[in-house]
Amino acid sequence: MAEITAGMVKELREKTDAPMMECKKALTEAGGDMAKAEEILRVKLGNKATKAATRVAAEGVVGMYLAADGKLGAVVEVNSETDFVAKNDEFIALAKGCAELVATKNPADVAALAALPMGEGTVESTRAALVGKIGENMTIRRFVRIAAEGKLASYVHGGSKIGVLVDVTGGDDQLAKDIAMHIAASKPKSLDASGVPAELLDTERRIAIEKARESGKPEAMLEKIAEGTVQKYLKDVTLLGQVFVKAEDGKQTIEQLLKAKGAKINGFTLYIVGEGIEKKVSDFAAEVAEQAAAAAAAKK
């Protein structure tokens, strides 16, 4: 059996926010498999063990560009080490400048973007100069360029921590803006069920079956319960299935709203700064204690 270390228990706790002993039990049951242990915790603790899915760990900003006619747009994520730098005007200007270059020059990847002209040099030389001036590392992480089928609407929220571009055909500008704001608030994973990875659905199905089994439900009902859970999950994570955040009746879905307005969403991009990045969180007290212990040992 794989050794369950304190570090593994700590990592699982940071990912799930579950109690230490529950994390250790889950890791033991999973034979040290971190992903399997997370799944076990979700069966036992429900959505309490989903902290890692929504935690944003890195700092930075989302740079946005939208052409005046709404036919072309781009969104870029640029990361920094601290939130202090993320509020720097020159750092924000770098992100916006990169977004405009992505839209107008259509680079193939981040390396190609870095080589494009900017100011008196290139994007890379501008970035490097800013690093030298501020004294903190910063990186261009990712970008998306969209040539709209209909018309683009954009929305930036939370001090440029969240950026949305949505391509809408039909309706009006207010509808498109409302949908962009909805996406920022509700954070859908995809437009519809076809865009949700099969492995996510399989995971939800397995968890639903195990939870139902542990609660004593008959085996014959497990598949039906699991299918109901999956369908609810799809409503929660797909844009068309979500209830519109501004719905007056609290029931109208985005799909129903679009039908009422004679509109269609062709696609959307949602960037959340730091999504998928884990940042080391230092324990200052532990760090001081460790240094003191090392100093004491060195004197012996």
Side-chain angles (χ1 to χ4, degrees):
M1 180 179 290
E3 180 185 1
I4 308 303
T5 66
M8 292 168 67
V9 174
K10 180 183 178 185
E11 181 183 349
L12 185 59
R13 174 168 168 74
E14 289 176 348
K15 284 185 174 182
T16 64
D17 208 25
M20 281 287 191
M21 288 308 298
E22 292 295 335
C23 290
K24 186 174 181 180
K25 289 178 184 177
L27 281 165
T28 301
E29 185 178 337
D33 185 317
M34 193 66 66
K36 180 63 177 176
E38 284 189 54
E39 193 170 309
I40 290 170
L41 285 174
R42 283 198 58 197
V43 171
K44 293 181 177 179
L45 305 177
N47 289 332
K48 182 181 179 182
T50 59
K51 179 183 175 184
T54 56
R55 186 173 66 243
V56 174
E59 302 298 343
V61 296
V62 170
M64 187 78 69
Y65 173 83
L66 182 61
D69 62 2
K71 301 299 289 185
L72 182 66
V75 56
V76 178
E77 179 182 350
V78 183
N79 296 126
S80 60
E81 294 180 46
T82 65
D83 187 52
F84 177 77
V85 170
K87 295 175 181 177
N88 178 279
D89 289 341
E90 290 180 272
F91 180 78
I92 294 170
L94 171 66
K96 289 182 178 179
C98 286
E100 183 172 357
L101 285 172
V102 167
T104 57
K105 302 299 182 182
N106 195 20
D109 51 29
V110 170
L113 171 60
L116 290 175
M118 175 180 275
E120 297 180 357
T122 64
V123 169
E124 174 55 25
S125 67
T126 302
R127 184 201 68 83
L130 195 54
V131 169
K133 179 178 179 180
I134 296 176
E136 182 175 310
N137 191 29
M138 52 195 72
T139 58
I140 301 168
R141 183 187 178 199
R142 55 179 176 163
F143 65 78
V144 168
R145 178 182 186 271
I146 300 176
E149 293 180 38
K151 188 175 181 180
L152 291 172
S154 65
Y155 183 69
V156 178
H157 181 72
S160 297
K161 299 297 185 185
I162 300 175
V164 176
L165 278 175
V166 58
D167 181 358
V168 182
T169 297
D172 54 26
D173 290 345
Q174 186 60 50
L175 172 67
K177 182 179 179 180
D178 283 345
I179 291 173
M181 292 175 66
H182 170 96
I183 293 169
S186 299
K187 301 175 182 59
K189 293 183 180 296
S190 67
L191 178 61
D192 55 30
S194 67
V196 179
E199 56 266 27
L200 289 183
L201 300 182
D202 290 341
T203 297
E204 293 300 318
R205 187 172 282 106
R206 283 197 307 271
I207 290 171
I209 287 174
E210 290 305 315
K211 288 178 73 173
R213 184 175 284 136
E214 286 196 0
S215 67
K217 293 291 191 295
E219 287 290 323
M221 293 180 59
L222 297 185
E223 286 297 332
K224 184 176 181 180
I225 291 171
E227 184 57 30
T229 298
V230 167
Q231 292 305 314
K232 182 179 183 302
Y233 173 76
L234 286 173
K235 288 181 180 179
D236 289 340
V237 303
T238 59
L239 178 56
L240 295 182
Q242 289 178 340
V243 174
F244 179 40
V245 292
K246 293 175 68 174
E248 294 182 1
D249 62 358
K251 297 179 180 179
Q252 186 183 41
T253 65
I254 293 294
E255 185 171 27
Q256 291 167 341
L257 172 66
L258 291 168
K259 186 175 181 180
K261 299 288 186 178
K264 172 189 175 186
I265 296 175
N266 303 304
F268 71 89
T269 293
L270 167 65
Y271 269 13
I272 303 172
V273 169
E275 186 176 34
I277 299 176
E278 291 294 336
K279 183 176 69 175
K280 181 180 179 182
V281 179
S282 60
D283 183 332
F284 183 70
E287 187 176 330
V288 171
E290 184 179 339
Q291 290 176 357
K299 290 179 180 179
K300 292 180 180 180

